[in-house]
Structure formats: C-alpha cells, structure tokens
Amino acid sequence: MLVLTRKRDESIIIGDEIRVTVVDVRGDQVKLGIDAPRRIPVHREEIYKEIQAENRRAALQAGPPSAALDDLLRPESE
Amino acid sequence: MLLKTDRFGEIRIAQEDIIHFPDGLLGFEELHRYVVVERERKGPIRFLQAVDDGRIAFAVTDPQTFRPDYLPELGEEDRAALQYESDEDLAVLVILTVPQEVREMTANLMAPVIINVKERIGRQVVQGLGEYSTRHRIVDEMERSRRLIRAAGAHRLRTVSLEPTEDTLRQTV
C-alpha cells in the first residue's frame, strides 16, 4: 500500500479525476473531502461490508415454510 | 432449461426469464444470472434464485407491501448500469433475511435490488446515506405502516401517498 503524509487542506490526486483532500484532523478522526465524477461510487467501507454480510446471511438461511413468511406481510396479520 | 436448486428441487426456466446482474450482488459478485421464482400459492414473497449456483436463493418482496413510503435513490452509475429509458421499466425488490424465529424476519432497505423489467437487467443499489439499514424488522414495519394508514385516514392528511406510484424511484439530481 502506498502511504503518503498529508496535512490539513492538502490533497492527493488519483488518476485524472479523483481528488481526496484532508479537510480536518481532530484526535483520531480525519475528515476527508472527495471530488470524483458522479459515475464513480464512493462509500464508507463498513457499509459495503455490512451489505455483503447481510446478503450472505440472507442466502444461507435454512428456509422455513414460505407461507408463514407471507402471513407476516399481510395487512390483516396480528 | 432445467435448473437443480436446493430450495425448489428441479425447476424449468425459460431463457427469456433470466435477469442479468452485471455486477452480481454484494458478496456474490461471481453470480450474474438470476430468475424470480414464484410458488403456486402466490404470496408477497418471491425468490431470487441464482441460475449458476442452485444453492443460492434469496427471499425477496416488493417493499410497498410493508413500507409504502420507501424511496430508494439511484446514483449516476446505477442509472448507467440499468440502461433504462423510463421509471416505469423498473421494479424494486428488497432482500429478506429469515432467521429460525420467523417473526424476526428483516428486510434490507439499505441495498434494494432494482430490475429493469424490459431489458432484464438487475442491480443491487446501495443507499449509503440516510435512514435505511440492512435490517428492518418486518413486524415493526407492518405496525408502522398501519399507523401511517390510520393517521392518514383519521385526519385526512396527505402526508404520505399510500398508492404504489410510478415515482417510487426518486433519482438523485
């Protein structure tokens, strides 16, 4: 991994189109500003990991009878 | 073609029913083809069955069933991937996680599955910002939905539209 040292308000450029700027540093928190074309998705890593984990849980379920599941989604249930 | 699945046994699927997911689902990036399986006794829950791995199937449902005001947003990259012309070509499904205790079933509203029904292209779309999480408990959502409907009826408020509308998908500007 390439490691660069930056101060507040300094940036790094990735390719031609992406700029990451250190906006603020406080204690162990770093605030980053990201300028990237809208077609490039930018997400916090933990959100991606959370969705991956949830998908895996959803796919690996043992699968109880679907009728019981349907009933939970009917307006008149409960 | 015939497909061997863990959940449904052997099923026959038509080529034209296959939905292509160019980027797969998160965590299942290598699986690009799915079919929607309905059971004979039709209910709100359907299944997204992977064509190339019979073990993988997701329980899915239309989020309107329990969250009438759900509004997923599409980013520019999502719109490009889905290659659609009109919002009317899009269908929204959310993935359900079903634990042993069925009442604890949850829906993933942070990452809905959007399908271009016309071109049969699918994509899991990340809602990175905002109120949605990967685990909305269905029982709670149904209660919330009933409350909204009652409130709208009792006071004739028009705060939420309860009709499934075509602008279910609000696009980011």
Side-chain angles (χ1 to χ4, degrees):
Chain A
M1 191 198 293
L2 171 66
V3 179
L4 300 170
T5 304
R6 302 275 68 194
K7 294 185 177 131
R8 189 188 311 167
D9 295 332
E10 290 183 339
S11 300
I12 59 165
I13 306 278
I14 303 170
D16 292 335
E17 299 181 308
I18 302 171
R19 180 210 304 265
V20 181
T21 308
V22 179
V23 176
D24 199 7
V25 184
R26 267 184 211 172
D28 61 354
Q29 274 207 331
V30 181
K31 205 179 264 184
L32 301 174
I34 296 151
D35 290 308
R38 292 190 64 89
R39 65 173 189 283
I40 296 177
V42 177
H43 293 291
R44 294 182 181 88
E45 184 186 25
E46 63 268 24
I47 286 184
Y48 255 58
K49 293 213 162 136
E50 191 186 333
I51 294 168
Q52 281 183 343
E54 195 60 33
N55 279 350
R56 292 205 184 98
R57 253 194 303 273
L60 293 176
Q61 62 198 270
S66 332
L69 308 183
D70 283 339
D71 290 342
L72 280 182
L73 280 158
R74 288 187 204 288
E76 65 274 22
S77 77
E78 291 199 41
Chain B
M1 67 191 264
L2 278 180
L3 188 60
K4 275 195 184 130
T5 70
D6 280 12
R7 188 186 274 268
F8 310 104
E10 203 165 77
I11 56 173
R12 185 178 296 278
I13 59 168
Q15 201 71 338
E16 59 265 29
D17 287 338
I18 294 174
I19 302 163
H20 294 264
F21 285 71
D23 296 317
L25 298 178
L26 286 168
F28 296 89
E29 287 81 0
E30 70 288 359
L31 296 174
H32 300 289
R33 302 193 298 166
Y34 287 85
V35 283
V36 175
V37 179
E38 298 220 34
R39 288 148 305 126
E40 276 176 39
R41 172 185 175 273
K42 281 195 180 178
I45 295 181
R46 288 173 284 173
F47 294 87
L48 205 54
Q49 169 70 54
V51 173
D52 301 301
D53 187 340
R55 294 168 300 175
I56 304 297
F58 299 90
V60 293
T61 193
D62 177 349
Q64 292 286 328
T65 317
F66 61 89
R67 184 99 178 193
D69 52 341
Y70 182 56
L71 285 176
E73 295 192 8
L74 297 183
E76 193 171 308
E77 73 282 3
D78 302 318
R79 279 180 270 163
L82 283 163
Q83 297 177 35
Y84 66 103
E85 287 168 7
S86 150
D87 280 4
E88 290 168 39
D89 299 338
L90 299 180
V92 183
L93 295 172
V94 291
I95 297 178
L96 301 166
T97 302
V98 189
Q100 280 303 317
E101 175 51 56
V102 172
R103 279 182 60 85
E104 299 303 316
M105 173 164 71
T106 56
N108 182 349
L109 298 189
M110 193 192 270
V113 173
I114 315 281
I115 295 169
N116 177 343
V117 183
K118 224 182 202 174
E119 302 293 333
R120 308 206 73 76
I121 300 170
R123 179 176 175 84
Q124 190 167 28
V125 171
V126 178
Q127 310 290 300
L129 305 167
E131 62 189 301
Y132 301 127
S133 84
T134 53
R135 291 194 190 179
H136 291 254
R137 198 164 165 258
I138 289 295
V139 174
D140 295 339
E141 291 291 334
M142 289 301 284
E143 179 51 37
R144 173 184 174 278
S145 160
R146 276 190 290 267
R147 254 195 337 264
L148 284 178
I149 290 167
R150 270 200 304 271
H155 308 295
R156 300 192 186 282
L157 291 179
R158 293 202 164 196
T159 47
V160 271
S161 162
L162 299 171
E163 304 282 318
T165 57
E166 280 151 15
D167 57 359
T168 303
L169 289 149
R170 181 160 42 105
Q171 299 186 357
T172 44
V173 184

